[in-house]
Amino acid sequence: MTDDKDVLRDVWFGRIPTCFTLYQDEITEREAEPYYLLLPRVSYLTLVTDKVKKHFEKVMRQEDISEILFEYEGTPLKWHYPIGLLFDLLASSSALPWNITVHFKSFPEKDLLHCPSKDVIEAHFMSCVKEADALKHKSQVINEMQKKDHKQLWMGLQNDRFDQFWAINQKLMEYPAEENGFRYIPFRIYQTTTEWPFIRQLFRPVATDGQLHTLGDLLKEVCPSAVAPEDGEKKNQVMIHGIEPVLETALQWLREHLSHPDNFLHIRIIPQPAD
Amino acid sequence: MPSSELWAVDLFGRVFTLSTAGQQWELCRDAQLEFKRVSAAAPCCWGIACDNQVYVRVGASDVPIRCREEAYENQRWNPVGGFCEALLPSDRWPWSDVSGLQHRPLDGVALPSPHWEWESDWYVDENFGGEPTEKGGWTYAIDFPHTYTRDKKWNSCVRRRRWTRYRRYKSRDTWAKIPSEDDPQQLPDPFSDLSLGGWEITDEPVGHLSVWAVSLQGKVWYREDVSHSNPEGSSWSLVDTPGEAVQISCGPHDLLWVSLWEGQALVREGINRNNPKGSSWSVVEPPTSENGILHVSAGVGVVWAVTKDRKVWFRRGVNSHNPCGTSWIEMVGEMMMVNVGLNDQVWGIGWTDRALYFRHGVTQSELSGKTWKAIVAGRECDGSRAGSLSSLLSAGCFFGDEVRGGGESCVPSDSEAERPGPDPERDVEVAGPASAPAELPWTNIDLKEPKKGPSHAAADFPEATNLSSLALLPLGLEEPDSADCHALWAWVSGGGCAVEAHTTLKWFTAHSGLPASMQMLSLPITPAQTAAWRKQIFQQLTERTQRELENFRHYEQAVEQSVWVKTGALQWWCDWKPHKWVDVRVALEQFTGHDGVRDSILFIYYMVHEEKKYIHVFLNEVTALVPVLNEAKHSFAVYTPERTRQRWPVRLAAATEQDMSDWLALLNLCCCESRRVHGRPSPQAIWSVTCKGDIFVSEPSPDLEAPERWLPCDQMFWRQMGGHLRVVEANSRGVVWGIGYDHTAWVYTGGYGGGCFQGLASSTSNIYTQSDVKCVYIYENQRWNPVTGYTSRGLPTDRYMWSDATGLQECTKASTKPPSLQWAWVSDWFVDFSVPGGTDQEGWQYASDFPALYHGHKTMKDFVRRRCWTRKCKLVTSGPWLEVAPIALGDVSIIPEIPGAHGSGPGIALWAVSDKGDVLCRLGVCELNPAGSSWLHVGTDQPFASVSIGGCYQVWAVARDGSAFYRGSVSPSKPAGLGHRRQSPGEPKPEPGNCVSPHGCAAPGAHGAGLGLWHRGGLGSPVRPGQCHQGPQELVPGDGRQAERGAGPPQWALEGGRCPAGDPQSCLLLRPLPLTWSRCDAGFEGPRLMQAFLSRAVLVLNVLKRGSQEWYLQAQIRDWGGNLA
């Protein structure tokens, strides 16, 4: 019998093979070799691309170096989305490795947030965790933690230390035994087809009749367009961490096992690919 | 936590039970009878039916209730015919009881009631004091009465032998009528109330039960001789009361309260083990003089009462020493009745709504609880209620016949007249003693005058109470339809219902579901584990990893593995003298080795002479992390092979329990990681328990049994599992059973972690709450002096007057604490009468001096005496264990894997001995259902102590008297085999008391050459056999560690046996208590019995390296040849 704990490991150690190439218009002193890297799915681009940055800065002229940004097929990549989510949203049907273009010029101010340092990522990450706990436990758990616990969460993510991170994070995943789950499920639904960056709503893991909600229940409630009618053809692809859970999956279980380190369940919905 | 049941009677006289695990009331199906009142205890329920007869319902169980009848055949030798039945005129009867005073011919021994049946015919018991006799079971003596011996001597003039026969109680799970008295003079008038209690007065195995009843004339009756083995008791005896009783309540311990017509309560004083009926009454006045007491209910330390104005009262200050308590406290709520159940939990029936309430929040510290919470569990028969009502009202002849027919089967025909069917006559008779409202035959109460009933009942309230169901019936009929959603109750009894503080009950929300009895006794599998979606996610994740990683493994990782350091402040038990706790800083450094395996080092920084120094421990060398919880410190010990050899582990203590658990869990995780151990243990894992009850698992390496490379157990890595067990037993198909100190049987669920291992170190599912209870013993010592007799003033050279068993340590009642902070007292100190050697009425044992052999009666030569005081303590933890209710076990053995039988899927043979000595065989055990389905009782002619099953279904067992048995023809198709065959003389005969000296022995003829038996040595023979639960230091004499509680090397108890790693001489046992065997000679053929010890012997053998045992071990290892992998 496989244990649920293995899912956590699989999720944490998900990697996307990536090929970074420098944008053709960037001026270099010599030819820039592409750079190959395994990116952790659950981390953030700017957190794990120090090596990429160093690699390309070597060939750049000193005066041209400014804030690095990444782009895939013309779409600037938002560093504050988890890497796995970006991949699933934009490139899940393309061949591996994932080809990311590196830019040092023309920062798209309206599309991207600046990321001057890792503190900014930390602040973003922690605010996500806090928001998630507000939904789950009225912030009680996160507020009871010490500063060093918060730090350990962050350091766990930054250093890719599964056990360091989960030693603390499991406290965020607990809920009283007499209840069947969290107060609300922290989730975000991303669609490429809409204007809105993502959907978030209050949604309880357990229905009023005591039944556990499923992923399908959630989608029907907050994003009915994504769910195919009973008889209709499946038009959309619902993906979490690169896999497509069936709609019968219990939401609370998903929440506990397939959440990102920021404690959100990032659900991506894109139209079903033609093939 | 096993489920137990709450019993209740609704207004229609139907009896329902509600399981603590369930959400729905279950009707007692086979009851054609309607009941007025019931009173439940854990094993049975007594009730007064509407025919005014008393019935007992003994719950079904896999273990039968058996009772041995015996008779002695006596013969005298005369020169003409040798031994013959012709006795001298002054002699006893040729057939007599054991004393010889009573004539007892075999055919004159009758069954006590129709509820018993004979199990077999009479047979001669050829066993005498644990030893087989020569022929025909005769024992010889010079004359009657005398000491009998096995051997016939020249002066043996008389002989006798014992005939035995077992009878079995057959009326289980059905209402069995208590036979009426034959003598009309003795016949008590109809009973109006009845109460069970008293099962905690005496020691548990006795199974004593006090059954008290009140008759319509207000007399109080006591049922004699009710016990587990005699569920019906023998006769009613009258107990005089100063007033007319209305209602009675007996607590589990020694409380007995009676409410009187006049409104006062009577309290029985002087109830104790020797006198369960008590000695005298004292009167307790009601809380207010105008409203007398209507109803009382007693628990262990509480009494609740309802007065005539329906107010509920709680009696303050009630206990064994002061059964009357001190004062009344008024509680909220208006109740018709209240009932105190196990753990002093309280149920009540609301006055106005007849709903059932549970007193929420009753704990040992807050006995009065917090609020009344309505129990709204549904009833399985709600839908058919109207139907049953109409059939009841019509009371057709079919119904009547059926009842009468049913009665005949269990009632002798001569009592037919006393037991009329449910015809109108009987109804009048039933109603007779009551006044006005009862004149309406209860089955025919007019549906149209509901309002009149209750007012009437209220006016004549005292008269109405003893027929409460009757007087209250109109209420129930008032709105027949509304009763469907809201049951109306008449009576409740929680005497068999164990609710504890941490129990979560599902009674308070309406649910429709399967009744508890429909649920299988098997490991619960949560829907999440079986759901297809879960499987799919696992599969997709694997595919994803394959897709995204398989071809790109050569890519560089984005985040380099770095060293991670966790630091903290702990205390360290320093290595040099004077040993003391010193404050240290500790740092755990984790890094990734070249091969990708994480490794860790634990640094301990300390200051000596203001100089900073450190010691370090490589976690990949750690063999075990053992929590050492003593009275004050939360500490743990870190063992490495080197440290074990030095018998000096690294001991660290944390400030709080949480802190300790965090460190322990983290260090364990690091150890497991460096040894690449994670997830659940493999089926071949070796399980062990320490003397403290901690459970450890080790993964065997494939070459574990290779003779040239055996790994001593102190070099194997032992990983802790949550839970607390006394014995653990595993086979190589992953079936693991354990027995707690309280004899509870547990089955391994397949999880890991629990206890202090939370989060990552623990599996998500399959971890359950586990509790264990053990006893702490201290001794009260006294010396006789000519002036004052026995006093607690000893000689200056004497031991402490309050001491431990050895007398070396002072242990007073006040100063003795539970063994560690994990344990909490759950009882008060009480005298233990079950000590070996026997005691007198007050529990004293006498001897000529300390220390000496103690005996249970005073003689002229005795100058000292002692008695044992016991106190129970309880621990609540969690682990991958589920209770196998309800039978408590003393020993368990699982068949070892037969090589080549993998996957063939026959059930796994599992044998056990219950704590009462019954031999049991578990049916339906397999990998998927390790708990099995039910017990098959294997009849024996005496209580057993231990059982062991080896490969090829060879079952060996030891009886309590020390005789050894082999059971033939056990096979998968015949799991219980054919019969225990007693071994021939010449095999080892452990003396009663289970302490034998180590010796080899001749092979018993029964099983071919070479199946030698071998008994454990008298390893520091436990101070009190059967009760050696007091930790390692008492058990390993001369160990020098008395002062150093638990600081020594881990005391491995292999499958319950103790095997101190550093002390090979003292581990000649495979299992400690009771005795079991292994083999001793090197010449045996085949690995048969060996396999029984496959998983455990490895360990035993490997530590037994020294001395004369070496040859023996190697012989065994050779025989094994890699069965393990």
Side-chain angles (χ1 to χ4, degrees):
Chain A
M1 184 168 43
T2 326
D3 193 75
D4 287 349
K5 287 272 154 26
D6 297 338
V7 177
L8 300 181
R9 273 178 195 279
D10 279 354
V11 165
W12 183 273
F13 290 108
R15 296 283 186 269
I16 297 168
T18 314
C19 170
F20 290 93
T21 43
L22 192 64
Y23 184 52
Q24 58 207 11
D25 291 356
E26 299 282 348
I27 302 146
T28 58
E29 289 181 326
R30 51 182 186 278
E31 179 133 7
E33 296 281 327
Y35 194 78
Y36 296 93
L37 206 58
L38 284 174
L39 294 181
R41 270 180 165 270
V42 296
S43 195
Y44 298 97
L45 264 179
T46 40
L47 188 61
V48 295
T49 48
D50 285 347
K51 288 176 180 174
V52 180
K53 201 172 162 201
K54 231 176 259 165
H55 173 80
F56 289 114
E57 279 174 356
K58 274 190 281 188
V59 299
M60 297 280 292
R61 286 186 314 195
Q62 208 58 37
E63 59 269 31
D64 289 339
I65 294 172
S66 64
E67 190 174 350
I68 193 168
L69 70 125
F70 303 96
E71 163 259 313
Y72 172 72
E73 290 184 347
T75 315
L77 298 175
K78 297 184 172 74
W79 62 262
H80 61 279
Y81 282 11
I83 293 166
L85 174 69
L86 288 172
F87 178 78
D88 292 345
L89 267 177
L90 305 171
S92 59
S93 51
S94 63
L96 290 171
W98 187 20
N99 284 302
I100 293 181
T101 313
V102 176
H103 293 258
F104 284 95
K105 281 197 295 203
S106 56
F107 195 89
E109 302 285 343
K110 69 176 178 41
D111 290 332
L112 280 193
L113 297 170
H114 281 285
C115 178
S117 74
K118 295 209 167 137
D119 295 344
V120 180
I121 314 173
E122 183 180 352
H124 165 72
F125 170 74
M126 288 312 298
S127 74
C128 284
V129 173
K130 283 173 188 166
E131 184 184 341
D133 200 58
L135 294 171
K136 286 186 292 187
H137 309 109
K138 298 182 182 170
S139 298
Q140 278 162 358
V141 179
I142 194 85
N143 288 344
E144 275 168 25
M145 283 186 183
Q146 294 173 347
K147 184 75 191 144
K148 75 170 166 73
D149 295 335
H150 292 181
K151 201 74 190 168
Q152 188 173 335
L153 274 180
W154 168 244
M155 293 303 288
L157 179 70
Q158 191 177 355
N159 295 336
D160 194 25
R161 307 288 312 216
F162 175 73
D163 34 9
Q164 187 180 5
F165 176 81
W166 271 97
I168 303 298
N169 197 51
Q170 47 126 333
K171 289 177 191 148
L172 293 169
M173 290 293 172
E174 287 163 0
Y175 51 86
E178 60 267 24
E179 287 161 38
N180 283 324
F182 299 126
R183 280 180 70 238
Y184 297 106
I185 295 281
F187 70 91
R188 286 173 182 177
I189 294 177
Y190 303 82
Q191 286 168 292
T192 42
T193 49
T194 54
E195 282 300 302
W196 293 101
F198 51 76
I199 304 174
R200 54 181 182 194
Q201 278 184 26
L202 293 183
F203 193 79
R204 288 188 181 272
V206 184
T208 43
D209 61 356
Q211 287 285 318
L212 283 177
H213 274 309
T214 64
L215 180 61
D217 295 336
L218 170 75
L219 294 181
K220 262 178 232 151
E221 171 89 22
V222 302
C223 184
S225 63
V227 190
E230 296 283 310
D231 49 345
E233 201 186 333
K234 194 178 150 200
K235 288 210 191 74
N236 288 297
Q237 212 185 20
V238 178
M239 189 175 270
I240 306 170
H241 287 295
I243 63 170
E244 292 175 66
V246 291
L247 295 183
E248 290 78 42
T249 311
L251 200 56
Q252 177 65 26
W253 190 91
L254 271 185
R255 165 71 197 87
E256 280 172 61
H257 297 90
L258 293 189
S259 279
H260 274 266
D262 63 9
N263 275 268
F264 271 90
L265 196 55
H266 294 281
I267 303 167
R268 182 228 64 171
I269 300 173
I270 57 167
Q272 183 83 24
D275 51 33
Chain B
M1 194 65 210
S3 62
S4 52
E5 280 168 345
L6 178 70
W7 291 72
V9 184
D10 74 357
L11 286 185
F12 303 97
R14 292 173 304 178
V15 181
F16 288 85
T17 59
L18 176 61
S19 163
T20 50
Q23 298 175 305
Q24 204 173 14
W25 289 97
E26 278 183 81
L27 184 64
C28 275
R29 281 279 174 210
D30 70 338
Q32 300 288 353
L33 296 152
E34 281 82 45
F35 277 82
K36 296 190 217 167
R37 294 192 178 179
V38 292
S39 181
C44 64
C45 182
W46 287 60
I48 301 173
C50 287
D51 60 0
N52 282 347
Q53 298 290 334
V54 177
Y55 290 81
V56 58
R57 186 186 177 100
V58 183
S61 159
D62 296 332
V63 180
I65 295 172
R66 305 164 81 222
C67 189
R68 182 165 68 190
E69 294 286 354
E70 55 183 39
Y72 284 85
E73 183 182 4
N74 306 303
Q75 293 191 348
R76 179 174 284 279
W77 187 85
N78 71 53
V80 183
F83 281 104
C84 67
E85 286 195 19
L87 301 177
L88 295 178
S90 61
D91 274 342
R92 56 184 59 193
W93 306 93
W95 291 89
S96 72
D97 67 348
V98 64
S99 65
L101 300 175
Q102 263 191 335
H103 183 43
R104 201 169 161 81
L106 290 188
D107 52 2
V109 180
L111 291 171
S113 82
H115 305 300
W116 292 86
E117 62 189 1
W118 290 113
E119 204 168 67
S120 59
D121 206 350
W122 288 98
Y123 61 93
V124 173
D125 182 12
E126 302 201 345
N127 181 32
F128 179 67
E131 298 174 22
T133 53
E134 275 173 25
K135 216 197 295 174
W138 292 104
T139 56
Y140 299 86
I142 300 174
D143 196 4
F144 300 115
H146 213 279
T147 313
Y148 300 89
T149 60
R150 283 169 57 209
D151 306 315
K152 184 172 153 185
K153 299 194 190 90
W154 63 271
N155 61 356
S156 300
C157 294
V158 298
R159 66 175 187 178
R160 69 169 189 182
R161 62 177 170 178
R162 188 171 66 161
W163 290 77
T164 56
R165 185 182 198 184
Y166 275 86
R167 58 184 157 92
R168 184 191 286 254
Y169 188 76
K170 64 178 179 185
S171 301
R172 302 192 80 165
D173 225 7
T174 175
W175 291 104
K177 194 175 135 182
I178 299 292
S180 311
E181 309 272 338
D182 294 336
D183 182 3
Q185 296 294 316
Q186 288 285 309
L187 189 72
D189 48 335
F191 289 127
S192 64
D193 190 33
L194 150 148
S195 178
L196 308 191
W199 55 84
E200 281 176 21
I201 301 178
T202 51
D203 296 323
E204 184 57 36
V206 179
H208 165 87
L209 204 59
S210 294
V211 180
W212 292 85
V214 170
S215 64
L216 283 178
Q217 292 174 17
K219 291 178 182 157
V220 171
W221 299 81
Y222 176 81
R223 184 81 184 171
E224 302 280 354
D225 302 328
V226 182
S227 68
H228 168 79
S229 56
N230 186 16
E232 303 160 299
S234 56
S235 62
W236 293 105
S237 56
L238 186 63
V239 176
D240 286 327
T241 47
E244 270 187 60
V246 187
Q247 183 261 330
I248 194 162
S249 175
C250 182
H253 199 224
D254 52 7
L255 288 184
L256 177 72
W257 280 56
V258 175
S259 59
L260 297 180
W261 285 102
E262 286 79 28
Q264 299 102 327
L266 282 184
V267 181
R268 192 71 175 168
E269 310 241 15
I271 292 180
N272 60 39
R273 178 171 183 270
N274 301 313
N275 186 14
K277 282 197 274 189
S279 49
S280 62
W281 295 105
S282 44
V283 177
V284 169
E285 291 297 325
T288 52
S289 53
E290 61 270 24
N291 286 305
I293 294 171
L294 201 61
H295 185 103
V296 290
S297 188
V300 175
V302 298
V303 170
W304 291 67
V306 178
T307 49
K308 285 175 185 160
D309 53 357
R310 275 80 85 180
K311 291 216 169 81
V312 181
W313 301 81
F314 175 82
R315 186 74 176 174
R316 199 205 304 249
V318 180
N319 58 44
S320 292
H321 311 295
N322 181 19
C324 294
T326 52
S327 62
W328 293 106
I329 303 171
E330 189 178 340
M331 308 304 286
V332 185
E334 289 198 340
M335 293 285 166
M336 196 197 89
M337 59 89 71
V338 289
N339 186 276
V340 182
L342 295 178
N343 303 320
D344 288 342
Q345 301 291 328
V346 182
W347 288 267
I349 293 175
W351 171 253
T352 47
D353 55 359
R354 296 297 136 124
L356 206 46
Y357 290 90
F358 174 63
R359 188 74 184 171
H360 184 69
V362 175
T363 60
Q364 282 308 305
S365 50
E366 195 176 0
L367 287 166
S368 57
K370 294 197 176 79
T371 53
W372 293 106
K373 228 170 160 180
I375 296 175
V376 292
R379 298 197 292 185
E380 55 176 325
C381 61
D382 272 352
S384 61
R385 198 196 60 85
S388 72
L389 180 61
S390 63
S391 74
L392 192 128
L393 288 171
S394 66
C397 58
F398 168 74
F399 184 65
D401 283 343
E402 196 171 69
V403 171
R404 193 171 289 136
E408 273 164 8
S409 65
C410 58
V411 181
S413 56
D414 60 346
S415 66
E416 178 85 271
E418 299 163 17
R419 201 196 122 75
D423 49 17
E425 273 175 50
R426 181 196 64 158
D427 297 328
V428 173
E429 188 185 303
V430 168
S435 59
E439 279 167 21
L440 299 163
W442 63 277
T443 48
N444 291 335
I445 282 172
D446 191 344
L447 289 164
K448 284 178 186 143
E449 46 168 37
K451 295 296 176 198
K452 196 175 152 196
S455 61
H456 213 119
D460 302 296
F461 203 78
E463 284 85 0
T465 46
N466 48 19
L467 288 167
S468 59
S469 63
L470 197 140
L472 301 168
L473 198 57
L475 256 187
L477 295 180
E478 195 171 350
E479 289 173 292
D481 288 326
S482 74
D484 273 339
C485 50
H486 179 73
L488 299 171
W489 297 103
W491 201 259
V492 62
S493 174
C497 185
V499 179
E500 288 178 57
H502 58 83
T503 319
T504 41
L505 295 169
K506 292 180 253 172
W507 296 345
F508 310 110
T509 47
H511 273 288
S512 58
L514 286 174
S517 67
M518 305 285 279
Q519 291 158 7
M520 286 280 289
L521 176 74
S522 63
L523 297 184
I525 295 173
T526 56
Q529 284 171 294
T530 47
W533 52 258
R534 183 173 173 274
K535 213 184 272 176
Q536 205 185 342
I537 285 177
F538 276 83
Q539 198 187 338
Q540 288 192 8
L541 277 171
T542 316
E543 285 169 11
R544 186 198 76 176
T545 309
Q546 177 90 13
R547 181 174 71 234
E548 296 179 354
L549 217 52
E550 198 49 48
N551 298 321
F552 306 99
R553 290 210 182 270
H554 55 284
Y555 279 27
E556 197 178 339
Q557 289 283 351
V559 182
E560 294 293 344
Q561 290 296 330
S562 53
V563 173
W564 174 41
V565 181
K566 181 180 162 80
T567 59
L570 294 175
Q571 284 193 311
W572 174 55
W573 186 249
C574 70
D575 277 351
W576 50 83
K577 287 180 178 171
H579 299 298
K580 59 178 181 189
W581 289 103
V582 292
D583 289 327
V584 290
R585 300 283 309 165
V586 290
L588 178 68
E589 276 191 30
Q590 289 189 301
F591 51 88
T592 310
H594 297 299
D595 50 356
V597 178
R598 296 252 183 83
D599 217 335
S600 315
I601 309 177
L602 179 67
F603 292 94
I604 298 163
Y605 297 98
Y606 59 91
M607 300 289 283
V608 60
H609 303 307
E610 298 183 12
E611 191 183 342
K612 206 174 170 187
K613 293 193 169 182
Y614 72 91
I615 58 169
H616 64 275
V617 180
F618 292 104
L619 288 196
N620 62 4
E621 289 179 357
V622 168
T623 52
L625 293 157
V626 183
V628 184
L629 297 160
N630 58 19
E631 298 86 351
K633 285 268 179 206
H634 303 280
S635 71
F636 57 94
V638 181
Y639 288 88
T640 62
E642 183 55 32
R643 289 263 170 188
T644 306
R645 211 162 309 140
Q646 296 166 356
R647 311 188 71 176
W648 196 266
V650 178
R651 278 189 69 188
L652 294 166
T656 65
E657 194 181 348
Q658 184 61 44
D659 214 14
M660 188 202 96
S661 313
D662 285 351
W663 272 101
L664 203 53
L666 179 66
L667 291 174
N668 253 298
L669 208 62
C670 293
C671 290
C672 289
E673 207 157 72
S674 66
R675 306 233 180 200
R676 294 182 189 253
V677 175
H678 60 92
R680 71 171 281 185
S682 70
Q684 288 83 21
I686 302 166
W687 292 73
S688 66
V689 293
T690 67
C691 298
K692 304 267 188 196
D694 293 324
I695 305 151
F696 284 83
V697 181
S698 182
E699 291 295 332
S701 60
D703 57 350
L704 182 68
E705 294 170 67
E708 67 276 12
R709 274 195 287 178
W710 12 289
L711 188 65
C713 77
D714 56 1
Q715 289 174 33
M716 298 163 75
F717 171 62
W718 292 92
R719 164 193 183 202
Q720 193 176 358
M721 283 285 137
H724 191 268
L725 294 176
R726 181 177 58 89
V727 171
V728 67
E729 174 88 9
N731 87 339
S732 51
R733 271 156 78 176
V735 176
V736 184
W737 279 52
I739 302 175
Y741 282 77
D742 58 357
H743 298 285
T744 310
W746 299 91
V747 64
Y748 174 62
T749 59
Y752 55 92
C756 66
F757 304 103
Q758 302 294 331
L760 285 186
S762 170
S763 53
T764 329
S765 47
N766 290 329
I767 298 292
Y768 302 93
T769 307
Q770 195 193 20
S771 64
D772 207 351
V773 175
K774 70 176 181 180
C775 294
V776 170
Y777 303 95
I778 61 172
Y779 286 84
E780 180 183 7
N781 305 301
Q782 293 193 346
R783 181 171 283 279
W784 186 83
N785 73 59
V787 184
T788 49
Y790 281 105
T791 61
S792 54
R793 184 177 304 162
L795 298 176
T797 54
D798 270 345
R799 56 182 55 194
Y800 296 101
M801 287 294 107
W802 287 90
S803 74
D804 65 352
T806 62
L808 298 173
Q809 300 244 334
E810 181 166 30
C811 298
T812 62
K813 278 187 187 176
S815 71
T816 304
K817 294 197 165 55
S820 80
L821 296 168
Q822 286 178 297
W823 296 88
W825 294 124
V826 289
S827 76
D828 208 345
W829 289 104
F830 57 93
V831 174
D832 187 352
F833 295 93
S834 61
V835 285
T839 68
D840 71 0
Q841 294 260 305
E842 291 181 303
W844 291 103
Q845 292 190 296
Y846 298 85
S848 54
D849 198 1
F850 301 118
L853 276 179
Y854 298 90
H855 43 88
H857 54 276
K858 185 170 156 32
T859 65
M860 289 299 288
K861 286 178 272 181
D862 294 327
F863 291 98
V864 299
R865 64 177 186 177
R866 69 167 190 185
R867 64 175 164 182
C868 179
W869 289 82
T870 306
R871 195 171 187 188
K872 286 181 185 167
C873 54
K874 182 173 181 177
L875 152 152
V876 178
T877 177
S878 64
W881 305 97
L882 257 190
E883 178 166 355
V884 187
I887 294 165
L889 298 186
D891 190 22
V892 67
S893 177
I894 311 176
I895 192 167
E897 185 44 55
I898 303 146
H902 269 286
S904 58
I908 294 167
L910 186 151
W911 286 63
V913 175
S914 79
D915 64 338
K916 295 189 173 69
D918 300 296
V919 178
L920 304 164
C921 171
R922 189 74 177 173
L923 302 179
V925 179
C926 60
E927 285 114 316
L928 292 176
N929 182 20
S933 52
S934 63
W935 291 108
L936 180 64
H937 179 261
V938 180
T940 55
D941 55 2
Q942 58 181 311
F944 272 56
S946 168
V947 70
S948 171
I949 178 166
C952 306
Y953 295 89
Q954 301 190 55
V955 179
W956 293 77
V958 186
R960 285 211 180 138
D961 65 6
S963 40
F965 290 84
Y966 171 71
R967 187 155 181 97
S969 307
V970 181
S971 67
S973 56
K974 212 185 284 170
L978 281 181
H980 277 293
R981 179 155 27 128
R982 179 174 298 278
Q983 289 307 290
S984 57
E987 68 186 318
K989 291 176 287 286
E991 293 144 26
N994 288 343
C995 294
V996 290
S997 54
H999 63 292
C1001 56
H1007 199 72
L1011 252 183
L1013 294 181
W1014 173 67
H1015 284 274
R1016 74 176 179 105
L1019 154 67
S1021 46
V1023 183
R1024 303 189 41 208
Q1027 297 179 330
C1028 62
H1029 311 156
Q1030 304 177 15
Q1033 52 281 0
E1034 291 89 339
L1035 292 171
V1036 188
D1039 202 289
R1041 255 177 297 116
Q1042 268 85 354
E1044 201 61 55
R1045 280 188 164 249
Q1051 301 273 318
W1052 299 117
L1054 297 173
E1055 309 242 346
R1058 274 161 210 84
C1059 181
D1063 195 359
Q1065 295 312 322
S1066 61
C1067 35
L1068 297 177
L1069 71 166
L1070 295 178
R1071 281 187 284 171
L1073 288 172
L1075 294 172
T1076 186
W1077 32 47
S1078 163
R1079 44 178 317 143
C1080 62
D1081 61 52
F1084 56 51
E1085 51 148 296
R1088 303 200 157 182
L1089 195 56
M1090 292 307 309
Q1091 289 174 14
F1093 307 105
L1094 190 65
S1095 59
R1096 47 194 133 148
V1098 178
L1099 296 167
V1100 177
L1101 302 181
N1102 282 308
V1103 293
L1104 286 179
K1105 284 181 299 193
R1106 292 211 293 263
S1108 60
Q1109 259 71 40
E1110 191 165 0
W1111 58 273
Y1112 155 64
L1113 306 175
Q1114 290 181 349
Q1116 289 203 325
I1117 286 163
R1118 209 178 311 126
D1119 272 342
W1120 279 347
N1123 288 336
L1124 208 70

